Amino acid sequence: MQFGIFTVSDITTDPTTGTTPTEHERIKATVEIAKKAEDVGLDVFALGEHHNRPFFSSSPTTTLAYIAAQTEKLILSTSTTLITTNDPVKIAEDFAMLQHVADGRVDLMLGRGNTPPVYPWFGKNIQDGVNLAIENYSLLRELWDKDIVNWQGKFRTPLQNFTSTPRPLDDVAPFVWHGSIRTPQIAELAAYFGDGFFANNIFWPKEHFQRLIALYRERYEHYGHGTAEQAIVGLGGQFFMRRNSQDAVREFRPYFDNAPVYGHGPSLEDFTSQTPLTVGSPQEVIEKTLSFRETFGDYQRQLFLVDHAGLPLKTVLEQLDLLGEILPELRKGFAEGRPATVPDAPTHASLVAAKEAKQAEGEGAGQDEPAGQVATS
């Protein structure tokens, strides 16, 4: 089980002071947050991609490479990389390069993106979002898996005798998570390729994500990658902790009430009762986080959003200290009773070992075409 944090890279005014960080301050703070994540024992740091204000992270691989140079163990990921508006060739090149400079401590989360203006900025149509995701990812896999690619599709110019460089480290592509809030075709795509599925369940009730994850698990088994319980699942989460619940609620309420993403909507109490957000004591965070297993089954990766809504850097670092304190209890709780058949989260080392084992026993049989290719509504 991997634990980590992710950031959406928002630049938000602190409602308690009226102070808005500059882009430079927020970028440098993100680097400090990532380094702190490693210091407190977390496994993963993930950075989003946005091309519009109030966000700063338009080039996550650049930032992650800088963080890689200042860390030793942290897995560096994205949350998410836009498979629809990015050129698959550039994704293949950028993440292979990041693999090399980070010595394999890299994976990525792909998503469609849900900001309508971004699509025309990159010459795309949001109505093509699902079809773009399917075609672009199919090409991305070829670019990583084949030395020479000849390819023709609908949404970009053909490729003839093309080799993406650098080649993936150890000839093993980064592990891919497909992130989704609402799109069943993305769950289907993840299942077809045997990739991970990340349900970013930070906004909607759990019942919605139960259905998405159940679909992914069912189709993962259908495509012959293993049993449904062996499918690779990740979840989002949010918390704000203080030593006692009353202090946590009092301190976090103005941030919640004014946050661009969920402010001026449901009350803090309603939101915490219906979503993974926990505002309270460390013990309350432990209890609620461990309850995710009851709702979604055993899973492999838990990422928390902690640096949003205008929270100052000092407060975010304090939150990470508290998370570090409860991390052993979370690891213990998720390990208890975990079936031996449930796999660990993939790492570069495990993917290299799996490839070597597969080569030793010979290539497997083919598989069906993904139903997601024809389900476009």
Side-chain angles (χ1 to χ4, degrees):
M1 183 73 175
Q2 293 175 344
F3 293 91
I5 57 173
F6 73 101
T7 177
V8 295
S9 80
D10 63 307
I11 300 175
T12 303
T13 300
D14 184 332
T16 68
T17 64
T19 301
T20 304
T22 65
E23 288 180 324
H24 179 74
E25 290 170 338
R26 189 72 172 90
I27 292 167
K28 299 295 280 188
T30 299
V31 175
E32 292 305 309
I33 290 167
K35 292 162 62 178
K36 183 71 169 183
E38 178 166 275
D39 289 344
V40 303
L42 293 172
D43 306 301
V44 183
F45 175 79
L47 177 62
E49 177 188 346
H50 291 277
H51 299 274
N52 56 296
R53 290 181 171 177
F55 307 99
F56 71 78
S57 183
S58 59
S59 180
T61 53
T62 304
T63 311
L64 293 176
Y66 185 69
I67 293 169
Q70 302 179 65
T71 54
E72 297 179 356
K73 299 179 180 179
L74 201 63
I75 296 172
L76 305 170
S77 189
T78 52
S79 60
T80 63
T81 296
L82 302 179
I83 187 62
T84 47
T85 52
N86 279 302
D87 186 349
V89 172
K90 198 68 172 73
I91 296 176
E93 294 172 341
D94 284 351
F95 281 89
M97 180 66 76
L98 183 58
Q99 265 193 316
H100 283 275
V101 299
D103 294 323
R105 294 183 289 124
V106 173
D107 58 36
L108 71 159
M109 186 193 307
L110 295 175
R112 291 192 304 128
N114 57 9
T115 307
V118 173
Y119 280 78
W121 292 343
F122 291 89
K124 308 298 181 184
N125 186 332
I126 195 171
Q127 300 301 320
D128 296 324
V130 170
N131 289 331
L132 276 164
I134 292 169
E135 179 175 296
N136 284 356
Y137 185 59
S138 297
L139 173 56
L140 177 60
R141 284 254 60 105
E142 286 201 39
L143 291 164
W144 275 337
D145 296 342
K146 297 180 181 179
D147 282 340
I148 299 175
V149 172
N150 291 284
W151 179 90
Q152 184 169 352
K154 178 180 178 181
F155 296 108
R156 80 174 314 281
T157 53
L159 296 173
Q160 294 182 343
N161 297 322
F162 179 78
T163 299
S164 174
T165 56
R167 302 304 298 145
L169 179 65
D170 299 319
D171 202 29
V172 171
F175 184 75
V176 173
W177 301 81
H178 298 260
S180 180
I181 294 176
R182 59 180 175 270
T183 310
Q185 292 90 342
I186 299 303
E188 173 81 17
L189 187 66
Y192 172 68
F193 282 100
D195 297 331
F197 181 67
F198 189 89
N200 195 10
N201 59 326
I202 61 174
F203 295 126
W204 291 5
K206 62 184 179 183
E207 291 78 11
H208 169 78
F209 294 98
Q210 281 179 309
R211 291 191 292 270
L212 270 180
I213 291 171
L215 170 65
Y216 161 68
R217 290 186 185 276
E218 174 190 334
R219 301 300 288 172
Y220 183 95
E221 182 170 319
H222 167 80
Y223 288 120
H225 301 296
T227 66
E229 74 169 4
Q230 293 174 320
I232 308 299
V233 174
L235 294 176
Q238 297 165 282
F239 65 78
F240 187 86
M241 279 187 277
R242 288 302 183 201
R243 295 296 178 186
N244 66 70
S245 299
Q246 293 82 3
D247 289 342
V249 172
R250 181 173 59 254
E251 185 176 346
F252 187 66
R253 189 181 296 279
Y255 293 97
F256 176 89
D257 288 345
N258 292 279
V261 288
Y262 43 46
H264 313 291
S267 69
L268 176 59
E269 288 72 18
D270 286 344
F271 204 84
T272 53
S273 69
Q274 297 173 25
T275 77
L277 175 64
T278 310
V279 181
S281 68
Q283 186 58 37
E284 287 174 307
V285 174
I286 292 171
E287 292 173 0
K288 187 161 185 178
T289 303
L290 291 178
S291 75
F292 298 165
R293 182 184 184 186
E294 302 168 10
T295 302
F296 302 107
D298 286 289
Y299 61 108
Q300 284 74 19
R301 175 173 285 186
Q302 175 66 59
L303 300 184
F304 297 102
L305 176 63
V306 297
D307 70 328
H308 60 308
L311 289 167
L313 175 60
K314 177 178 180 294
T315 301
V316 174
L317 298 180
E318 291 169 350
Q319 293 297 300
L320 290 176
D321 279 327
L322 289 167
L323 178 57
E325 290 180 18
I326 67 173
L327 196 55
E329 191 67 25
L330 289 173
R331 293 193 191 280
K332 178 183 176 182
F334 278 103
E336 289 177 351
R338 188 181 181 94
T341 52
V342 174
D344 294 333
T347 63
H348 182 72
S350 72
L351 294 174
V352 170
K355 179 173 182 176
E356 291 173 349
K358 186 175 181 180
Q359 288 174 337
E361 67 184 21
E363 295 295 326
Q367 52 193 358
D368 298 336
E369 288 297 312
Q373 288 195 9
V374 294
T376 58
S377 60

